[in-house]
Amino acid sequence: MTEPVTLPICQRLSYATGHFLNDLCASMWFTYFLVYFHSVLGFNSFNAGVLLLVGQVADGICTPLVGYESDRRVGCLSYGRRKSWHLIGTLSVILSFPFIFNPCLGCTENTPQWVGLIYFIPFIVIFQFGWAATQISHLSLIPELAKNEHDKVELTAFRYAFTVMANIAVYAVAWLLLHFQEGETNTEHLSWQDIPIFRTLALIMVALGALFSLVFHVGTKEKKHSFQHLVETEDAEADALTEQPKLTNPPKPLLRWHHWLVEPSFYQVALLYMCTRLIVNLSQTYIAVYLTNSLHLPKNYIATIPLVMYVSGFVSSFLMKPVNKLIGRNLTYFVGLLAIAAFAAWVALDPELGVAVYGAAVVLGSGSATILVTSLSMTADLIGPHSHSGAFVYGAMSFTDKVANGLAVMIIQSFHPCHTQVCCPACTPFYHWVMVIVTGAVAVVAAISLSSIMIWPIQVRFCRITVSSIQDSSRTSERVLGSQENGIVNT
């Protein structure tokens, strides 16, 4: 038996570089946004949460819209519909992100915070639009590039491996910048004087990400389809369905975006993906403030501990393919949830971790990598051969993720015990329990969602053409002919 054709290694690697810029910026966004605006720029906890919520809502709104447009457009100058949107998103991120980790022009420590809010919101919205366009177009290429099921898992694993490397790059550079600053200042805690650290970090990450994006656009070959070709394909499938009513195995129809809305598996995967992103993103968002305000560690720990997390995640990502083959998707995800639950229990039972925080970081990083890679593979399984509407599916999944993360941060920030730049003693237990809840409690919801998938496996159930439905439609020839004239197939 011949081996199935697989995607060449050079194309797999070039594809994986396409999300590197997004990953670098996302690492800074989730890990350092709150601590930068609250501890460095001096925004109160509520206003810092408002800015993060604006970004998440903007991303959540842009994501399904970009997905819808990406599915129906053929691309600019025959460049490819996915890569065209990727290029637009990349340019938007490059032009906007450096302004977010810079004080507003002319602002000082005494500038009213409402001025900063007005200044930063447009840059945040542009950045989130660009981030969404890049993310959705990149994810949508997986079903189109993959030649078999194992390719889907491998592309997702390669993609996540570069995600981990991006995070490692951010934390390694942040550690170097903080390390060299120690000789110049005697402060161990973040303040206004640390602005150059974050500004330099943002500029380095944007330059590095732009270079990797260039590699992606040069090395990744997307199949080019003209609008006429897409229409002819749909009409051909319509003719096949109406002219051959007696076929035992009729061709599968094209699934439109609205067809997904009646599929139970669509909502099962969406809930699981949302829980996964809540665990990964919220733990990343609050790890820095947890280290500085609950464990009272020096500021260089905001680089070293996340670095340990993502090194462990990087190692775990290479185990995804053999583990998936051995025990399957569902059990692989469950193993990741067990690691997340172990981290939550560790933090809950030991409020003062000390050196043990490194061990907890390894557990959290491994668990996060496992559930994230597996959830993305499940999303690819849901899309299956229906890659023409894959961008909408990824967009809808990401919409639930972004909005849920933004609302969760806003709710947490509204319960913050103090509203000044310097945290009060009540912050110590507050961030401790935040870390427990955003990992342990959300993991329970994810386990419930996983249970539903194990009972009712991921598959397209309702949007199918059956033999009986085709035979019924042949009896009502006038309606069929009318639909055929308009190029419509009732699914």
Side-chain angles (χ1 to χ4, degrees):
M1 185 175 180
T2 58
E3 292 292 327
V5 179
T6 59
L7 199 64
I9 184 66
C10 58
Q11 289 196 38
R12 279 178 277 174
L13 288 173
S14 64
Y15 167 80
T17 63
H19 207 253
F20 200 70
L21 173 63
N22 261 21
D23 292 328
L24 293 169
C25 295
S27 179
M28 285 196 65
W29 172 267
F30 284 112
T31 307
Y32 295 133
F33 186 90
L34 284 183
V35 75
Y36 172 73
F37 276 88
H38 182 59
S39 300
V40 178
L41 295 187
F43 280 61
N44 63 48
S45 59
F46 182 81
N47 285 339
V50 167
L51 287 175
L52 194 143
L53 175 62
V54 168
Q56 294 302 103
V57 171
D59 193 0
I61 293 174
C62 291
T63 297
L65 294 179
V66 169
Y68 175 74
E69 288 297 320
S70 176
D71 283 335
R72 64 192 294 265
R73 302 292 179 184
V74 296
C76 302
L77 301 176
S78 300
Y79 189 58
R81 54 179 177 169
R82 310 303 189 192
K83 288 179 66 177
S84 295
W85 277 102
H86 189 283
L87 182 60
I88 293 171
T90 298
L91 293 175
S92 299
V93 170
I94 291 173
L95 295 175
S96 61
F97 188 74
F99 290 95
I100 297 175
F101 283 91
N102 245 328
C104 59
L105 298 176
C107 291
T108 65
E109 291 184 77
N110 299 320
T111 302
Q113 292 188 18
W114 63 268
V115 175
L117 289 174
I118 295 174
Y119 176 86
F120 284 113
I121 285 176
F123 291 112
I124 289 174
V125 171
I126 295 171
F127 162 66
Q128 293 292 358
F129 162 77
W131 202 97
T134 305
Q135 181 205 32
I136 294 305
S137 58
H138 193 255
L139 283 173
S140 302
L141 279 170
I142 293 179
E144 295 189 9
L145 294 177
K147 298 181 182 297
N148 53 58
E149 291 302 315
H150 294 311
D151 272 354
K152 291 180 182 179
V153 177
E154 200 156 47
L155 282 175
T156 305
F158 269 73
R159 182 180 185 273
Y160 187 74
F162 272 83
T163 299
V164 174
M165 287 192 288
N167 283 274
I168 291 173
V170 170
Y171 301 135
V173 174
W175 179 82
L176 287 173
L177 293 173
L178 290 168
H179 176 73
F180 286 124
Q181 188 204 43
E182 287 181 358
E184 302 174 5
T185 62
N186 296 322
T187 59
E188 290 189 347
H189 303 288
L190 294 168
S191 63
W192 182 268
Q193 68 181 3
D194 293 304
I195 288 175
I197 297 292
F198 291 94
R199 177 172 56 223
T200 304
L201 181 61
L203 291 173
I204 292 174
M205 293 305 110
V206 167
L208 183 62
L211 178 62
F212 276 82
S213 294
L214 179 62
V215 173
F216 164 78
H217 281 276
V218 172
T220 303
K221 308 301 179 184
E222 178 186 358
K223 295 178 183 177
K224 300 179 179 63
H225 302 290
S226 65
F227 179 76
Q228 182 179 2
H229 172 76
L230 294 176
V231 173
E232 288 175 354
T233 300
E234 295 171 16
D235 289 343
E237 292 190 3
D239 293 341
L241 288 172
T242 55
E243 292 176 4
Q244 302 177 25
K246 296 181 181 180
L247 285 177
T248 305
N249 296 308
K252 292 183 179 179
L254 289 172
L255 261 69
R256 304 298 185 188
W257 67 269
H258 54 87
H259 292 148
W260 291 108
L261 300 180
V262 300
E263 290 295 334
S265 290
F266 176 80
Y267 298 98
Q268 289 176 291
V269 176
L271 178 60
L272 190 74
Y273 184 81
M274 182 188 73
C275 292
T276 301
R277 282 295 185 178
L278 280 173
I279 293 171
V280 174
N281 292 343
L282 290 181
S283 62
Q284 188 176 357
T285 299
Y286 284 99
I287 189 67
V289 288
Y290 167 68
L291 294 170
T292 56
N293 296 318
S294 289
L295 300 183
H296 305 291
L297 297 171
K299 61 185 178 183
N300 62 296
Y301 274 77
I302 68 173
T304 56
I305 295 301
L307 181 59
V308 171
M309 288 171 52
Y310 280 94
V311 167
S312 63
F314 179 76
V315 174
S316 299
S317 67
F318 287 103
L319 301 176
M320 291 302 101
K321 186 175 180 179
V323 172
N324 266 275
K325 282 185 177 180
L326 183 63
I327 63 176
R329 299 253 205 278
N330 295 337
L331 288 181
T332 301
Y333 189 92
F334 183 70
V335 170
L337 281 184
L338 290 179
I340 299 297
F343 169 83
W346 196 344
V347 173
L349 297 174
D350 190 359
E352 298 179 4
L353 286 175
V355 180
V357 71
Y358 285 99
V362 171
V363 174
L364 178 60
S366 301
S368 297
T370 302
I371 62 175
L372 185 55
V373 170
T374 309
S375 66
L376 286 171
S377 298
M378 288 179 175
T379 307
D381 289 341
L382 173 66
I383 296 172
H386 310 291
S387 60
H388 46 272
S389 58
F392 171 79
V393 176
Y394 283 119
M397 301 297 159
S398 192
F399 174 79
T400 62
D401 147 40
K402 300 304 187 305
V403 174
N405 274 278
L407 291 175
V409 169
M410 198 66 247
I411 292 172
I412 293 171
Q413 294 299 105
S414 66
F415 284 103
H416 198 278
C418 56
H419 300 281
T420 59
Q421 180 180 2
V422 180
C423 278
C424 61
C427 290
T428 300
F430 176 77
Y431 286 118
H432 169 261
W433 288 110
V434 164
M435 286 302 295
V436 174
I437 292 172
V438 300
T439 53
V442 181
V444 173
V445 180
I448 295 173
S449 177
L450 178 65
S451 300
S452 73
I453 290 176
M454 296 177 75
I455 297 172
W456 298 286
I458 298 171
Q459 61 180 347
V460 176
R461 290 182 170 85
F462 296 125
C463 294
R464 289 179 173 179
I465 296 292
T466 62
V467 175
S468 60
S469 65
I470 295 176
Q471 291 174 344
D472 290 341
S473 66
S474 65
R475 297 189 188 101
T476 57
S477 57
E478 291 182 0
R479 284 193 301 168
V480 171
L481 290 173
S483 299
Q484 190 175 8
E485 289 176 356
N486 293 297
I488 300 172
V489 177
N490 184 10
T491 59

